[in-house]
Amino acid sequence: GDLSPPRGRATARQDSDGDLSPPRDRAAANSPQREEKKVLKMSSGLTAGVMKPDEIRRQTEEAKRRHREQLDSTADELTGKGAETIYRDKSGKKISEELHKKLNDKHRLKKKRRAEKPQELEWGGGMKQKVDAEQEKDELYQLSQQPFARYDIDKGLDEELKEKRHWNDPLAAAMEEAEILAAAAATKKKKDKKDKKDKNEKMSEQDKENKFENDGKEPELGPQAFKKPKCPHPMPPNRFNIQPGYRWDGKIRGNNYEERWFGARNVKAFYDQEAYKEHHAHM
């Protein structure tokens, strides 16, 4: 049912391009010169892409030859050939060859000493953990030497049971408090003894330097000469156990922070103890 005239397919194909340029020379497009322009070179001078082993070997030797010729044709001042060696220290300052050798010898000697005496490091814990492990090992060895059935409590087991403490022991808190007080008293006694000794030495040095009018005789220093005055009023408890001055009249003029602090600490300790007992009671 198409009444249009027949289409000229060959003519339409030729004119469809609409290009008025002269016909291209396909042989010239595939010429060797055009192929050489497409070849890519790497920084080493070798051709990029897939090549045969013989071609890679040939190009490598050619690149080495060109590099040698370039070095031979370059002046020695630029290449550094035959130049004198410059020695420097750690800061970059120029030094002599003898000093450089001495520094290297010291460094080599240090490395040799480190190699002879390797440092022993404790891994996986400190000294306390190591001592505890040794004690546990000794206890296991002693237990292995004892008979399987025990009929009587020996001395070692008796001491171990005595030292063991239970959470529901009514005297445990008193024992802990006694130990803490004993340790604090021992520490205070040691500190007071040291302070007294230092003070006596300081006073004796000052007295030796001073000149007295009583025929040059030094006064006799008794225990009362170094007695420090103390406050007659009872000391209120405080966090740092600081003694009041001897001029204090015994009246507290603060905001009772220390008393509230001790009360809050005691309440917290009480609740912690009750929670601990309740937790273990359900186990």
Side-chain angles (χ1 to χ4, degrees):
D2 189 4
L3 301 178
S4 61
R7 300 176 182 85
R9 297 183 180 277
T11 306
R13 190 185 303 112
Q14 292 178 359
D15 297 337
S16 62
D17 190 9
D19 189 2
L20 301 178
S21 61
R24 300 176 180 83
D25 189 0
R26 299 186 178 276
N30 297 329
S31 61
Q33 295 180 357
R34 190 174 183 85
E35 291 181 359
E36 290 180 0
K37 292 181 180 180
K38 295 181 180 179
V39 175
L40 299 177
K41 294 286 185 177
M42 295 185 294
S43 60
S44 60
L46 303 180
T47 303
V50 182
M51 294 186 297
K52 295 182 179 180
D54 297 339
E55 184 66 18
I56 295 175
R57 192 180 301 107
R58 184 187 64 79
Q59 291 190 14
T60 303
E61 293 176 356
E62 183 67 20
K64 289 182 180 180
R65 185 184 60 78
R66 288 196 304 268
H67 183 65
R68 284 196 299 268
E69 292 177 355
Q70 185 179 2
L71 289 177
D72 294 340
S73 60
T74 307
D76 295 342
E77 291 80 4
L78 299 177
T79 59
K81 183 178 180 181
E84 184 180 358
T85 304
I86 298 176
Y87 300 96
R88 299 180 184 272
D89 57 2
K90 293 182 179 180
S91 62
K93 185 179 178 181
K94 292 184 180 180
I95 57 177
S96 61
E97 184 178 359
E98 297 178 356
L99 183 58
H100 184 265
K101 289 182 179 179
K102 289 181 180 179
L103 294 177
N104 285 345
D105 292 340
K106 290 181 180 179
H107 183 64
R108 196 178 299 108
L109 184 60
K110 287 183 180 180
K111 291 180 66 177
K112 185 177 180 181
R113 289 176 179 175
R114 291 176 183 175
E116 291 177 355
K117 297 180 180 180
Q119 185 179 4
E120 297 181 0
L121 300 176
E122 297 289 341
W123 298 99
M127 298 298 296
K128 183 63 171 63
Q129 287 76 9
K130 188 176 180 180
V131 172
D132 294 342
E134 292 292 336
Q135 292 180 357
E136 185 178 359
K137 186 177 179 181
D138 295 339
E139 291 177 1
L140 292 176
Y141 176 76
Q142 294 177 3
L143 290 175
S144 64
Q145 300 299 323
Q146 295 178 359
F148 180 75
R150 283 188 178 184
Y151 300 99
D152 296 326
I153 299 178
D154 55 359
K155 184 177 180 181
L157 182 58
D158 188 20
E159 294 293 335
E160 182 180 353
L161 294 176
K162 286 181 180 180
E163 294 178 359
K164 190 175 181 180
R165 296 183 179 180
H166 303 275
W167 66 270
N168 56 354
D169 187 0
L171 297 178
M175 294 175 63
E176 291 180 0
E177 186 176 358
E179 291 178 358
I180 293 174
L181 293 176
T187 305
K188 187 176 183 300
K189 184 178 180 181
K190 186 177 180 181
K191 184 180 178 182
D192 294 343
K193 186 177 180 181
K194 183 180 179 181
D195 295 343
K196 185 176 180 181
K197 182 179 179 182
D198 296 340
K199 187 176 180 179
N200 291 340
E201 291 178 356
K202 186 177 180 180
M203 292 291 294
S204 60
E205 291 177 359
Q206 292 178 357
D207 293 338
K208 287 180 181 179
E209 293 177 357
N210 297 330
K211 294 181 179 180
F212 301 95
E213 297 179 357
N214 300 329
D215 300 332
K217 295 182 179 180
E218 297 182 358
E220 297 181 358
L221 301 178
Q224 299 294 333
F226 305 106
K227 187 175 181 180
K228 186 177 180 180
K230 294 184 179 181
C231 180
H233 305 285
M235 181 190 72
N238 58 82
R239 290 168 291 168
F240 309 104
N241 197 23
I242 299 176
Q243 299 288 337
Y246 66 93
R247 293 187 177 90
W248 184 52
D249 58 355
K251 184 177 180 180
I252 300 177
R253 296 177 174 84
N255 56 1
N256 296 329
Y257 176 78
E258 299 290 337
E259 183 178 355
R260 289 186 281 109
W261 187 85
F262 279 106
R265 189 184 67 168
N266 294 337
V267 170
K268 184 178 182 302
F270 173 76
Y271 282 122
D272 291 344
Q273 187 177 11
E274 291 296 325
Y276 179 81
K277 293 179 180 179
E278 183 178 359
H279 174 70
H280 285 272
H282 295 288
M283 293 181 64

